[in-house]
Amino acid sequence: MSTDSPANEQITRADVCAAAIADAFADDGEIFGSPMGMLPMLGVRLAKLTSNPDLVISDGESLFLSGVPPLFAKGDVVEGWIPFRRVFDVVAYGKRHVMMGATQVDRHGNQNISAIGPFSRPKRQLLGSRGAPGNTVNNRTSYWVPKHSPRVFVEQVDIVSGVGPKRAREAGPGAARYNDIHRIVSNLGVFDVKGADDTVRLLSVHPGVSVDEVVEATGFALDLPADRSEVPTTREPSYEELVIIREMLDPKGLRFREVPEPEAAK
């Protein structure tokens, strides 16, 4: 990559993903942005510096930040303290938008980070449900998937960790009242769960990606317009956003660890 000016550099897939994640938080207003993972952290901080200055962000552990530091930087100005025991108060009662990862996502927007294989005898143990059930029934929730494939986007998740809108509604008002699966951003496109019968809907494909590629990489039938040419292309970040991403938030290029450039683009 050239180091002369962001305007002279090719816009990368990782840059597009960061901007797409920022857009997911753009209309939240004054809310706790709770990103989990490198690209979500980058996207939330980009939103804070551009589309939504009212976002409240943390260091990912126990501190609310008044500034917007580069990824994994230390020594920023601290605005507040949120010890672990208070996190559950925020989950249950606070204004919060969390972006989590997903080992599996199914056609109804249910998420799995618990285990792979039959519930009675899983083949592989993962993180466990952790905060996913509470997040999805209490707070706006989005997902980030760095490697879009049929192994991730499956017809039905092996174990439900995060609850999609259809399952939440079937469970009753306690689960459905605040359930809001807002966006799913992958390295191929952007999705929501507002298709027919609360199914995953393709909102846009990233530059250089075709709708057919996304369909082939998805293990269930996506909600699509009849004319696939109507699916828009995910917007590219602006010059201002590129400067912020490349010179302020991620000058070391850590984002490429999650979203390396496709071979054809190199």
Side-chain angles (χ1 to χ4, degrees):
M1 264 190 185
S2 165
T3 57
D4 296 334
S5 167
N8 296 328
E9 297 179 7
Q10 181 181 6
I11 295 175
T12 68
R13 183 75 57 81
D15 298 328
V16 172
C17 291
I21 292 170
D23 286 349
F25 290 82
D27 299 325
D28 284 340
E30 188 175 355
I31 196 171
F32 178 28
S34 185
M36 300 179 186
M38 189 183 303
L39 255 295
M41 286 175 61
L42 178 59
V44 165
R45 294 179 188 205
L46 179 63
K48 170 77 172 177
L49 292 171
T50 55
S51 59
N52 188 359
D54 292 329
L55 268 176
V56 178
I57 64 172
S58 79
D59 66 345
E61 295 182 9
S62 61
L63 302 175
F64 288 125
L65 304 179
S66 61
V68 187
L71 293 177
F72 306 113
K74 298 293 184 181
D76 199 66
V77 178
V78 175
E79 190 172 48
W81 181 48
I82 179 169
F84 188 68
R85 64 180 180 275
R86 297 299 303 275
V87 170
F88 298 101
D89 295 337
V90 176
V91 171
Y93 303 107
K95 295 172 62 179
R96 178 172 177 258
H97 182 174
V98 56
M99 179 170 272
M100 306 173 65
T103 305
Q104 292 178 325
V105 178
D106 68 24
R107 67 188 300 265
H108 287 290
N110 300 300
Q111 170 242 34
N112 175 23
I113 54 171
S114 296
I116 299 297
F119 183 80
S120 59
R121 191 171 183 177
K123 297 177 181 177
R124 181 172 298 177
Q125 176 67 50
L126 304 174
L127 290 172
S129 292
R130 299 176 71 86
N135 291 339
T136 51
V137 301
N138 288 303
N139 307 135
R140 170 168 278 191
T141 302
S142 295
Y143 298 122
W144 160 242
V145 178
K147 294 182 180 179
H148 192 127
S149 79
R151 296 179 62 182
V152 178
F153 287 82
V154 297
E155 181 68 29
Q156 182 174 326
V157 296
D158 292 340
I159 296 173
V160 175
S161 305
V163 183
K166 183 176 183 179
R167 183 177 288 268
R169 192 167 55 252
E170 291 170 349
R177 183 178 181 185
Y178 298 112
N179 179 264
D180 179 9
I181 307 302
H182 182 58
R183 288 289 184 274
I184 303 169
V185 180
S186 82
N187 63 316
L188 298 184
V190 180
F191 312 80
D192 66 11
V193 195
K194 295 184 178 179
D197 194 29
D198 295 316
T199 55
V200 174
R201 176 176 64 166
L202 177 60
L203 297 180
S204 68
V205 293
H206 298 332
V209 178
S210 70
V211 175
D212 288 344
E213 286 179 76
V214 176
V215 169
E216 185 177 349
T218 303
F220 54 82
L222 287 163
D223 188 283
L224 298 168
D227 183 356
R228 293 187 179 189
S229 66
E230 294 178 0
V231 177
T233 300
T234 311
R235 74 171 183 91
E236 294 184 342
S238 66
Y239 176 84
E240 176 191 24
E241 289 172 314
L242 288 176
V243 172
I244 291 171
I245 292 169
R246 296 173 176 179
E247 297 186 4
M248 296 177 62
L249 296 178
D250 188 23
K252 296 181 180 179
L254 300 176
R255 61 196 179 279
F256 300 116
R257 296 180 184 178
E258 284 195 345
V259 188
E261 275 300 270
E263 289 298 325
K266 292 182 180 178

